[in-house]
Amino acid sequence: MTLMELGWSSSLQQSFDQLSRPDLTPARVTTVLKDHYRVSAGNGERLARLSGRYSFAIATRSELPAVGDWVAIDAVGASRAVVQTVLPRRSKISRKIAGREVEEQVIAANVDTVFIVSALTQEFNTRRIERYLALVWDSGALPVLILNKADLANDIDAITSELDSIAPGTPMHVISAMENSGLEALQCYLAPGQTVAFVGSSGVGKSTIINRLLGREAQPTLPVREHDDRGRHTTTTRELFLLPTGGMVIDTPGMRELRLWHSVHGLSGAFDDIEQIATGCRYRDCAHKSEPGCAVRRAVDAGLIEGGRLENFFKLEAEQAFLDRKLDVHAALAAKARARKLCKDVRDVSRRKGRS
Ligand code: GDP
Ligand code: ZN
């Protein structure tokens, strides 16, 4: 397997050349362990640790290697390595962790396409999809809507036309992973070197889809056995893996647990009282979830704000943040053109292959 097949590109090569470290080797992070990483340079995987120098140099957690990251490594023996630096990311999917300050944690990097999976059942929720869309637009990856469980759906047209109006230009695919129908259309996002990640609520069928794409019934995750630092055997799960098509899938616990977070936008009018109280929060960017010194939570506890009203405030805030981006229809159309071109390129390749 080559670096290209792992997603290496000319811009990554440029970033790597700028390091002027011919002694290092580029490699992609396939798994993030507790304090180790599994990396692949194309010729098998190595267990890597972070160099002391890099750990000291970084200012925030967001600079730590994430699944999908490209790193520059020092090879150590046949199976070990030291990560010297992380190359610039083309896209990143993050979550904010509430600590003393809200900190960004990168869950997956260098993702080309994010499949936003939902099920065409009772639980179908347009608002939730909007929030996932906002998250993906933020990441730099291309969102693709996957509407699964078509076999259980009543009125697919009503749903697709509603989605067309909230996400003009966003590619959309109706499938049934159970009946194995419609999945051919997903192949064009999974050409060699392409990386896809999945988001969506639990139970919508993400694992089933990944299994279909892998062409086997087993768990999508591939357990790996290796020796840990003390020479014990441990079994862990690979988080970035190759499909038979040559594309890659990122499936990490982090993506699974991804909660929708949102930026704090001013919502004047309806929630003036909450905004007023929020000026008393200890942190200016307080999300009023579980931060210490949160005046809004105190007010809820004291019965000054009704809990349901706060939930509505959160919802509206998220929608507002999304609407701000939704106005950018140009971005949506450009993404559509990109997706079309991508799919066309893949078709051309397979046609050429078919002929030769
Ligand atoms: P995940 O939590 O998103 O990974 O969802 P799973 O892949 O575990 O699927 C949840 C349940 O939905 C399982 O019982 C699947 O068999 C079922 N399921 C997945 N895809 C389909 C589908 O296309 N149609 C129907 N009817 N059920 C499906
Ligand atoms: Zn607060």
Side-chain angles (χ1 to χ4, degrees):
M1 140 163 240
T2 64
L3 285 182
M4 288 299 188
E5 287 169 318
L6 281 169
W8 191 245
S9 65
S10 53
S11 66
L12 282 162
Q13 183 68 51
Q14 256 173 29
S15 308
F16 183 72
D17 290 343
Q18 274 162 18
L19 297 175
S20 298
R21 290 288 304 269
D23 55 314
L24 302 181
T25 311
R28 197 159 191 206
V29 177
T30 61
T31 309
V32 173
L33 303 162
K34 199 153 166 263
D35 39 25
H36 278 82
Y37 304 89
R38 202 174 289 111
V39 301
S40 173
N43 47 1
E45 291 195 323
R46 291 172 179 273
L47 195 60
R49 63 173 179 81
L50 213 53
S51 80
R53 182 193 284 216
Y54 187 74
S55 336
F56 282 122
I58 62 175
T60 71
R61 276 176 71 139
S62 64
E63 292 166 72
L64 288 172
V67 182
D69 257 325
W70 282 94
V71 292
I73 59 162
D74 252 331
V76 179
S79 62
R80 300 276 170 150
V82 178
V83 173
Q84 298 294 351
T85 193
V86 177
L87 297 179
R89 294 162 174 145
R90 159 172 92 247
S91 67
K92 58 175 181 175
I93 294 159
S94 306
R95 74 169 155 213
K96 289 202 171 149
I97 36 182
R100 273 186 64 77
E101 281 160 63
V102 177
E103 215 186 349
E104 177 185 11
Q105 182 189 8
V106 178
I107 293 161
N110 303 311
V111 173
D112 298 290
T113 309
V114 177
F115 286 171
I116 300 172
V117 186
S118 41
L120 290 162
T121 54
Q122 298 301 323
E123 298 92 69
F124 185 87
N125 182 324
T126 314
R127 297 285 93 77
R128 193 185 301 129
I129 292 182
E130 285 186 332
R131 276 174 247 157
Y132 276 121
L133 275 166
L135 181 147
V136 180
W137 283 125
D138 245 8
S139 75
L142 174 78
V144 171
L145 299 174
I146 308 292
L147 308 177
N148 189 34
K149 308 199 185 183
D151 55 292
L152 300 178
N154 289 322
D155 195 352
I156 297 177
D157 287 347
I159 290 176
T160 55
S161 64
E162 187 182 351
L163 289 179
D164 258 336
S165 70
I166 64 151
T170 302
M172 195 172 2
H173 301 283
V174 176
I175 67 167
S176 167
M178 179 109 113
E179 297 183 336
N180 207 5
S181 71
L183 278 98
E184 328 73 61
L186 309 187
Q187 298 298 343
C188 64
Y189 307 102
L190 292 160
Q194 291 287 311
T195 307
V196 174
F198 287 68
V199 296
S201 308
S202 157
V204 294
K206 296 181 296 295
S207 306
T208 314
I209 296 170
I210 294 174
N211 282 335
R212 288 289 185 199
L213 296 173
L214 269 171
R216 74 175 93 141
E217 288 305 315
Q219 281 298 301
T221 44
L222 315 173
V224 203
R225 272 167 74 78
E226 67 194 1
H227 294 279
D228 69 8
D229 272 351
R230 297 196 187 89
R232 286 180 309 210
H233 262 306
T234 55
T235 305
T236 51
T237 309
R238 185 171 289 125
E239 299 176 322
L240 179 149
F241 49 89
L242 203 64
L243 299 179
T245 52
M248 286 157 283
V249 164
I250 287 183
D251 186 25
T252 86
M255 291 292 293
R256 296 259 157 164
E257 292 150 14
L258 194 61
R259 293 274 179 285
L260 294 165
W261 50 262
H262 45 81
S263 50
V264 180
H265 274 244
L267 293 167
S268 42
F271 294 99
D272 277 346
D273 53 336
I274 296 183
E275 283 179 322
Q276 187 55 42
I277 291 169
T279 59
C281 293
R282 186 180 306 165
Y283 301 109
R284 208 155 49 107
D285 57 358
C286 184
H288 323 308
K289 300 279 171 173
S290 53
E291 290 87 347
C294 175
V296 172
R297 284 284 162 201
R298 260 199 320 268
V300 172
D301 290 343
L304 292 171
I305 303 174
E306 199 196 310
R309 196 166 139 70
L310 183 62
E311 284 314 309
N312 282 337
F313 171 75
F314 285 149
K315 271 191 204 140
L316 233 155
E317 208 180 24
E319 277 167 27
Q320 182 63 50
F322 176 71
L323 277 171
D324 289 347
R325 272 183 292 259
K326 200 169 87 172
L327 292 175
D328 196 353
V329 176
H330 285 297
L333 293 177
K336 188 176 190 175
R338 231 165 80 206
R340 264 217 207 99
K341 178 170 185 314
L342 188 70
C343 288
K344 185 174 170 298
D345 288 350
V346 175
R347 277 200 300 274
D348 286 350
V349 169
S350 47
R351 232 182 269 136
R352 271 201 300 279
K353 269 198 191 139
R355 238 186 271 131
S356 58

